[in-house]
Amino acid sequence: MEERRYLTFALGKGRLAKKTLELFEQIGITCEEMKDQDTRRLIFVNEELKLRFFLAKGPDVPTYVEYGAADIGIVGKDTVLEERRNIYEVLDLGFGRCRMCICGPESAGELLRHHAQIRVATKYPHIAKDYFYNRKHQTVEIIKLNGSIELAPIVGLSEVICDIVETGSTLRENGLIVLEEVCPLSARMVVNQVSMKMENERITKLISDLKTVIKEQS
Ligand code: PRP
């Protein structure tokens, strides 16, 4: 029989990776090596199933998948939208649910309603630009930040932010509210376009097994 090649998975580091491995275990895909908290290894192999896994920074996952360094990636919808890579988004994994929102102090609601020329701080400039320019037809100035976005309206860098809201506690503790919702978010499976053709049988089976488990849980 012809030797099967490895299917390679890129997982976004952190909460999503942990949840992904839990989900994969339910369809019989395990990677014991990856559970070792102290390991410095970057890539983990399941020889029996011919699978390889590596952890990457979330925003890099679509890049690995587009170039085929990974066949499959697991990443937040926020990253899929922001990175705009040529990849197939094939499955909503149903966890990591949160919302992309426009937030700020209550007073900023008035500025949004009047389409005022405001500043929007965000880690997601493409998403913010698409929302304000293409959906709302509102001209704004977008300021790219790399984290702790909620600080921006508090210290006067911007009037509003475009950011992820999960429990809403970061907003509450900083006197900010959700002013508008941009879109719902959750973890997605993405696939390299060539891999989808070359490894169609294995990838289709994986998607259908995952769909069954996800359906059972919802
Ligand atoms: C994210 C997001 C918000 C917060 C929302 O930040 O940017 O700040 O979580 O969660 P909540 O609604 O449950 O409070 P993250 O912790 O990823 O760090 P960052 O600020 O460095 O982006």
Side-chain angles (χ1 to χ4, degrees), residues 42-55:
L42 296 172
I43 190 144
F44 307 91
V45 183
N46 179 324
E47 287 292 351
E48 200 191 325
L49 298 173
K50 287 271 184 266
L51 301 174
R52 299 196 304 173
F53 300 86
F54 66 83
L55 294 172

mmCIF file with all atom_site columns, all heavy atoms in Angstrom, residues 42-55:
data_model
loop_
_atom_site.group_PDB
_atom_site.id
_atom_site.type_symbol
_atom_site.label_atom_id
_atom_site.label_alt_id
_atom_site.label_comp_id
_atom_site.label_asym_id
_atom_site.label_entity_id
_atom_site.label_seq_id
_atom_site.pdbx_PDB_ins_code
_atom_site.Cartn_x
_atom_site.Cartn_y
_atom_site.Cartn_z
_atom_site.occupancy
_atom_site.B_iso_or_equiv
_atom_site.pdbx_formal_charge
_atom_site.auth_seq_id
_atom_site.auth_comp_id
_atom_site.auth_asym_id
_atom_site.auth_atom_id
_atom_site.pdbx_PDB_model_num
ATOM 1   N N   . LEU A 1 42 ? 8.283  22.111 19.451 1.00 0.00 ? 42 LEU A N   1
ATOM 2   C CA  . LEU A 1 42 ? 7.338  22.950 18.706 1.00 0.00 ? 42 LEU A CA  1
ATOM 3   C C   . LEU A 1 42 ? 6.397  22.122 17.840 1.00 0.00 ? 42 LEU A C   1
ATOM 4   O O   . LEU A 1 42 ? 5.356  22.604 17.426 1.00 0.00 ? 42 LEU A O   1
ATOM 5   C CB  . LEU A 1 42 ? 8.113  23.933 17.815 1.00 0.00 ? 42 LEU A CB  1
ATOM 6   C CG  . LEU A 1 42 ? 8.963  24.953 18.562 1.00 0.00 ? 42 LEU A CG  1
ATOM 7   C CD1 . LEU A 1 42 ? 9.833  25.728 17.588 1.00 0.00 ? 42 LEU A CD1 1
ATOM 8   C CD2 . LEU A 1 42 ? 8.085  25.915 19.340 1.00 0.00 ? 42 LEU A CD2 1
ATOM 9   N N   . ILE A 1 43 ? 6.808  20.890 17.545 1.00 0.00 ? 43 ILE A N   1
ATOM 10  C CA  . ILE A 1 43 ? 5.971  20.083 16.654 1.00 0.00 ? 43 ILE A CA  1
ATOM 11  C C   . ILE A 1 43 ? 5.783  18.685 17.243 1.00 0.00 ? 43 ILE A C   1
ATOM 12  O O   . ILE A 1 43 ? 6.705  18.133 17.831 1.00 0.00 ? 43 ILE A O   1
ATOM 13  C CB  . ILE A 1 43 ? 6.551  20.077 15.214 1.00 0.00 ? 43 ILE A CB  1
ATOM 14  C CG1 . ILE A 1 43 ? 5.574  19.450 14.243 1.00 0.00 ? 43 ILE A CG1 1
ATOM 15  C CG2 . ILE A 1 43 ? 7.900  19.436 15.122 1.00 0.00 ? 43 ILE A CG2 1
ATOM 16  C CD1 . ILE A 1 43 ? 5.586  20.118 12.882 1.00 0.00 ? 43 ILE A CD1 1
ATOM 17  N N   . PHE A 1 44 ? 4.558  18.183 17.144 1.00 0.00 ? 44 PHE A N   1
ATOM 18  C CA  . PHE A 1 44 ? 4.183  16.930 17.794 1.00 0.00 ? 44 PHE A CA  1
ATOM 19  C C   . PHE A 1 44 ? 3.592  15.987 16.751 1.00 0.00 ? 44 PHE A C   1
ATOM 20  O O   . PHE A 1 44 ? 2.850  16.428 15.876 1.00 0.00 ? 44 PHE A O   1
ATOM 21  C CB  . PHE A 1 44 ? 3.160  17.214 18.890 1.00 0.00 ? 44 PHE A CB  1
ATOM 22  C CG  . PHE A 1 44 ? 3.624  18.258 19.855 1.00 0.00 ? 44 PHE A CG  1
ATOM 23  C CD1 . PHE A 1 44 ? 3.318  19.595 19.635 1.00 0.00 ? 44 PHE A CD1 1
ATOM 24  C CD2 . PHE A 1 44 ? 4.383  17.914 20.951 1.00 0.00 ? 44 PHE A CD2 1
ATOM 25  C CE1 . PHE A 1 44 ? 3.768  20.574 20.513 1.00 0.00 ? 44 PHE A CE1 1
ATOM 26  C CE2 . PHE A 1 44 ? 4.839  18.880 21.839 1.00 0.00 ? 44 PHE A CE2 1
ATOM 27  C CZ  . PHE A 1 44 ? 4.531  20.217 21.612 1.00 0.00 ? 44 PHE A CZ  1
ATOM 28  N N   . VAL A 1 45 ? 3.929  14.698 16.901 1.00 0.00 ? 45 VAL A N   1
ATOM 29  C CA  . VAL A 1 45 ? 3.553  13.745 15.861 1.00 0.00 ? 45 VAL A CA  1
ATOM 30  C C   . VAL A 1 45 ? 2.718  12.606 16.425 1.00 0.00 ? 45 VAL A C   1
ATOM 31  O O   . VAL A 1 45 ? 3.008  12.116 17.509 1.00 0.00 ? 45 VAL A O   1
ATOM 32  C CB  . VAL A 1 45 ? 4.838  13.168 15.198 1.00 0.00 ? 45 VAL A CB  1
ATOM 33  C CG1 . VAL A 1 45 ? 4.480  12.221 14.066 1.00 0.00 ? 45 VAL A CG1 1
ATOM 34  C CG2 . VAL A 1 45 ? 5.721  14.285 14.681 1.00 0.00 ? 45 VAL A CG2 1
ATOM 35  N N   . ASN A 1 46 ? 1.679  12.213 15.685 1.00 0.00 ? 46 ASN A N   1
ATOM 36  C CA  . ASN A 1 46 ? 0.973  10.970 15.959 1.00 0.00 ? 46 ASN A CA  1
ATOM 37  C C   . ASN A 1 46 ? 1.314  10.052 14.787 1.00 0.00 ? 46 ASN A C   1
ATOM 38  O O   . ASN A 1 46 ? 0.740  10.174 13.708 1.00 0.00 ? 46 ASN A O   1
ATOM 39  C CB  . ASN A 1 46 ? -0.536 11.223 16.066 1.00 0.00 ? 46 ASN A CB  1
ATOM 40  C CG  . ASN A 1 46 ? -1.316 9.951  16.340 1.00 0.00 ? 46 ASN A CG  1
ATOM 41  O OD1 . ASN A 1 46 ? -0.985 8.884  15.847 1.00 0.00 ? 46 ASN A OD1 1
ATOM 42  N ND2 . ASN A 1 46 ? -2.374 10.080 17.120 1.00 0.00 ? 46 ASN A ND2 1
ATOM 43  N N   . GLU A 1 47 ? 2.307  9.146  15.034 1.00 0.00 ? 47 GLU A N   1
ATOM 44  C CA  . GLU A 1 47 ? 2.835  8.282  13.961 1.00 0.00 ? 47 GLU A CA  1
ATOM 45  C C   . GLU A 1 47 ? 1.761  7.369  13.388 1.00 0.00 ? 47 GLU A C   1
ATOM 46  O O   . GLU A 1 47 ? 1.682  7.173  12.182 1.00 0.00 ? 47 GLU A O   1
ATOM 47  C CB  . GLU A 1 47 ? 3.980  7.407  14.501 1.00 0.00 ? 47 GLU A CB  1
ATOM 48  C CG  . GLU A 1 47 ? 5.277  8.154  14.768 1.00 0.00 ? 47 GLU A CG  1
ATOM 49  C CD  . GLU A 1 47 ? 5.957  8.661  13.497 1.00 0.00 ? 47 GLU A CD  1
ATOM 50  O OE1 . GLU A 1 47 ? 5.522  8.286  12.380 1.00 0.00 ? 47 GLU A OE1 1
ATOM 51  O OE2 . GLU A 1 47 ? 6.911  9.449  13.626 1.00 0.00 ? 47 GLU A OE2 1
ATOM 52  N N   . GLU A 1 48 ? 0.941  6.856  14.287 1.00 0.00 ? 48 GLU A N   1
ATOM 53  C CA  . GLU A 1 48 ? -0.049 5.880  13.882 1.00 0.00 ? 48 GLU A CA  1
ATOM 54  C C   . GLU A 1 48 ? -1.058 6.468  12.887 1.00 0.00 ? 48 GLU A C   1
ATOM 55  O O   . GLU A 1 48 ? -1.370 5.877  11.862 1.00 0.00 ? 48 GLU A O   1
ATOM 56  C CB  . GLU A 1 48 ? -0.774 5.417  15.145 1.00 0.00 ? 48 GLU A CB  1
ATOM 57  C CG  . GLU A 1 48 ? -1.483 4.107  15.001 1.00 0.00 ? 48 GLU A CG  1
ATOM 58  C CD  . GLU A 1 48 ? -2.383 3.885  16.205 1.00 0.00 ? 48 GLU A CD  1
ATOM 59  O OE1 . GLU A 1 48 ? -1.996 4.305  17.333 1.00 0.00 ? 48 GLU A OE1 1
ATOM 60  O OE2 . GLU A 1 48 ? -3.478 3.337  15.999 1.00 0.00 ? 48 GLU A OE2 1
ATOM 61  N N   . LEU A 1 49 ? -1.531 7.674  13.186 1.00 0.00 ? 49 LEU A N   1
ATOM 62  C CA  . LEU A 1 49 ? -2.534 8.298  12.315 1.00 0.00 ? 49 LEU A CA  1
ATOM 63  C C   . LEU A 1 49 ? -1.907 9.181  11.237 1.00 0.00 ? 49 LEU A C   1
ATOM 64  O O   . LEU A 1 49 ? -2.615 9.769  10.429 1.00 0.00 ? 49 LEU A O   1
ATOM 65  C CB  . LEU A 1 49 ? -3.512 9.130  13.160 1.00 0.00 ? 49 LEU A CB  1
ATOM 66  C CG  . LEU A 1 49 ? -4.333 8.367  14.197 1.00 0.00 ? 49 LEU A CG  1
ATOM 67  C CD1 . LEU A 1 49 ? -5.133 9.321  15.069 1.00 0.00 ? 49 LEU A CD1 1
ATOM 68  C CD2 . LEU A 1 49 ? -5.265 7.375  13.504 1.00 0.00 ? 49 LEU A CD2 1
ATOM 69  N N   . LYS A 1 50 ? -0.589 9.269  11.272 1.00 0.00 ? 50 LYS A N   1
ATOM 70  C CA  . LYS A 1 50 ? 0.148  10.120 10.319 1.00 0.00 ? 50 LYS A CA  1
ATOM 71  C C   . LYS A 1 50 ? -0.336 11.576 10.384 1.00 0.00 ? 50 LYS A C   1
ATOM 72  O O   . LYS A 1 50 ? -0.747 12.177 9.388  1.00 0.00 ? 50 LYS A O   1
ATOM 73  C CB  . LYS A 1 50 ? 0.021  9.594  8.878  1.00 0.00 ? 50 LYS A CB  1
ATOM 74  C CG  . LYS A 1 50 ? 0.831  8.324  8.638  1.00 0.00 ? 50 LYS A CG  1
ATOM 75  C CD  . LYS A 1 50 ? 2.235  8.682  8.193  1.00 0.00 ? 50 LYS A CD  1
ATOM 76  C CE  . LYS A 1 50 ? 3.076  7.470  7.853  1.00 0.00 ? 50 LYS A CE  1
ATOM 77  N NZ  . LYS A 1 50 ? 3.906  6.974  8.941  1.00 0.00 ? 50 LYS A NZ  1
ATOM 78  N N   . LEU A 1 51 ? -0.317 12.095 11.614 1.00 0.00 ? 51 LEU A N   1
ATOM 79  C CA  . LEU A 1 51 ? -0.720 13.482 11.837 1.00 0.00 ? 51 LEU A CA  1
ATOM 80  C C   . LEU A 1 51 ? 0.400  14.242 12.536 1.00 0.00 ? 51 LEU A C   1
ATOM 81  O O   . LEU A 1 51 ? 1.136  13.661 13.343 1.00 0.00 ? 51 LEU A O   1
ATOM 82  C CB  . LEU A 1 51 ? -1.975 13.551 12.721 1.00 0.00 ? 51 LEU A CB  1
ATOM 83  C CG  . LEU A 1 51 ? -3.227 12.837 12.215 1.00 0.00 ? 51 LEU A CG  1
ATOM 84  C CD1 . LEU A 1 51 ? -4.318 12.872 13.269 1.00 0.00 ? 51 LEU A CD1 1
ATOM 85  C CD2 . LEU A 1 51 ? -3.722 13.446 10.907 1.00 0.00 ? 51 LEU A CD2 1
ATOM 86  N N   . ARG A 1 52 ? 0.532  15.512 12.217 1.00 0.00 ? 52 ARG A N   1
ATOM 87  C CA  . ARG A 1 52 ? 1.504  16.375 12.915 1.00 0.00 ? 52 ARG A CA  1
ATOM 88  C C   . ARG A 1 52 ? 0.759  17.611 13.386 1.00 0.00 ? 52 ARG A C   1
ATOM 89  O O   . ARG A 1 52 ? -0.130 18.111 12.702 1.00 0.00 ? 52 ARG A O   1
ATOM 90  C CB  . ARG A 1 52 ? 2.616  16.840 11.968 1.00 0.00 ? 52 ARG A CB  1
ATOM 91  C CG  . ARG A 1 52 ? 3.438  15.725 11.383 1.00 0.00 ? 52 ARG A CG  1
ATOM 92  C CD  . ARG A 1 52 ? 4.717  16.241 10.788 1.00 0.00 ? 52 ARG A CD  1
ATOM 93  N NE  . ARG A 1 52 ? 4.489  17.275 9.782  1.00 0.00 ? 52 ARG A NE  1
ATOM 94  C CZ  . ARG A 1 52 ? 5.453  17.976 9.211  1.00 0.00 ? 52 ARG A CZ  1
ATOM 95  N NH1 . ARG A 1 52 ? 6.715  17.772 9.556  1.00 0.00 ? 52 ARG A NH1 1
ATOM 96  N NH2 . ARG A 1 52 ? 5.181  18.876 8.287  1.00 0.00 ? 52 ARG A NH2 1
ATOM 97  N N   . PHE A 1 53 ? 1.150  18.118 14.555 1.00 0.00 ? 53 PHE A N   1
ATOM 98  C CA  . PHE A 1 53 ? 0.509  19.312 15.111 1.00 0.00 ? 53 PHE A CA  1
ATOM 99  C C   . PHE A 1 53 ? 1.578  20.317 15.493 1.00 0.00 ? 53 PHE A C   1
ATOM 100 O O   . PHE A 1 53 ? 2.610  19.926 16.036 1.00 0.00 ? 53 PHE A O   1
ATOM 101 C CB  . PHE A 1 53 ? -0.264 18.969 16.394 1.00 0.00 ? 53 PHE A CB  1
ATOM 102 C CG  . PHE A 1 53 ? -1.353 17.968 16.196 1.00 0.00 ? 53 PHE A CG  1
ATOM 103 C CD1 . PHE A 1 53 ? -1.069 16.602 16.251 1.00 0.00 ? 53 PHE A CD1 1
ATOM 104 C CD2 . PHE A 1 53 ? -2.652 18.372 15.955 1.00 0.00 ? 53 PHE A CD2 1
ATOM 105 C CE1 . PHE A 1 53 ? -2.075 15.671 16.071 1.00 0.00 ? 53 PHE A CE1 1
ATOM 106 C CE2 . PHE A 1 53 ? -3.666 17.446 15.773 1.00 0.00 ? 53 PHE A CE2 1
ATOM 107 C CZ  . PHE A 1 53 ? -3.373 16.088 15.830 1.00 0.00 ? 53 PHE A CZ  1
ATOM 108 N N   . PHE A 1 54 ? 1.340  21.586 15.232 1.00 0.00 ? 54 PHE A N   1
ATOM 109 C CA  . PHE A 1 54 ? 2.213  22.595 15.832 1.00 0.00 ? 54 PHE A CA  1
ATOM 110 C C   . PHE A 1 54 ? 1.404  23.782 16.317 1.00 0.00 ? 54 PHE A C   1
ATOM 111 O O   . PHE A 1 54 ? 0.288  24.033 15.846 1.00 0.00 ? 54 PHE A O   1
ATOM 112 C CB  . PHE A 1 54 ? 3.367  23.004 14.905 1.00 0.00 ? 54 PHE A CB  1
ATOM 113 C CG  . PHE A 1 54 ? 2.982  23.726 13.643 1.00 0.00 ? 54 PHE A CG  1
ATOM 114 C CD1 . PHE A 1 54 ? 2.751  25.101 13.638 1.00 0.00 ? 54 PHE A CD1 1
ATOM 115 C CD2 . PHE A 1 54 ? 2.902  23.040 12.433 1.00 0.00 ? 54 PHE A CD2 1
ATOM 116 C CE1 . PHE A 1 54 ? 2.426  25.771 12.472 1.00 0.00 ? 54 PHE A CE1 1
ATOM 117 C CE2 . PHE A 1 54 ? 2.569  23.698 11.255 1.00 0.00 ? 54 PHE A CE2 1
ATOM 118 C CZ  . PHE A 1 54 ? 2.331  25.067 11.277 1.00 0.00 ? 54 PHE A CZ  1
ATOM 119 N N   . LEU A 1 55 ? 1.979  24.475 17.301 1.00 0.00 ? 55 LEU A N   1
ATOM 120 C CA  . LEU A 1 55 ? 1.326  25.646 17.872 1.00 0.00 ? 55 LEU A CA  1
ATOM 121 C C   . LEU A 1 55 ? 1.956  26.892 17.277 1.00 0.00 ? 55 LEU A C   1
ATOM 122 O O   . LEU A 1 55 ? 3.169  26.983 17.157 1.00 0.00 ? 55 LEU A O   1
ATOM 123 C CB  . LEU A 1 55 ? 1.523  25.666 19.388 1.00 0.00 ? 55 LEU A CB  1
ATOM 124 C CG  . LEU A 1 55 ? 0.847  24.544 20.171 1.00 0.00 ? 55 LEU A CG  1
ATOM 125 C CD1 . LEU A 1 55 ? 1.278  24.569 21.621 1.00 0.00 ? 55 LEU A CD1 1
ATOM 126 C CD2 . LEU A 1 55 ? -0.669 24.661 20.067 1.00 0.00 ? 55 LEU A CD2 1
#
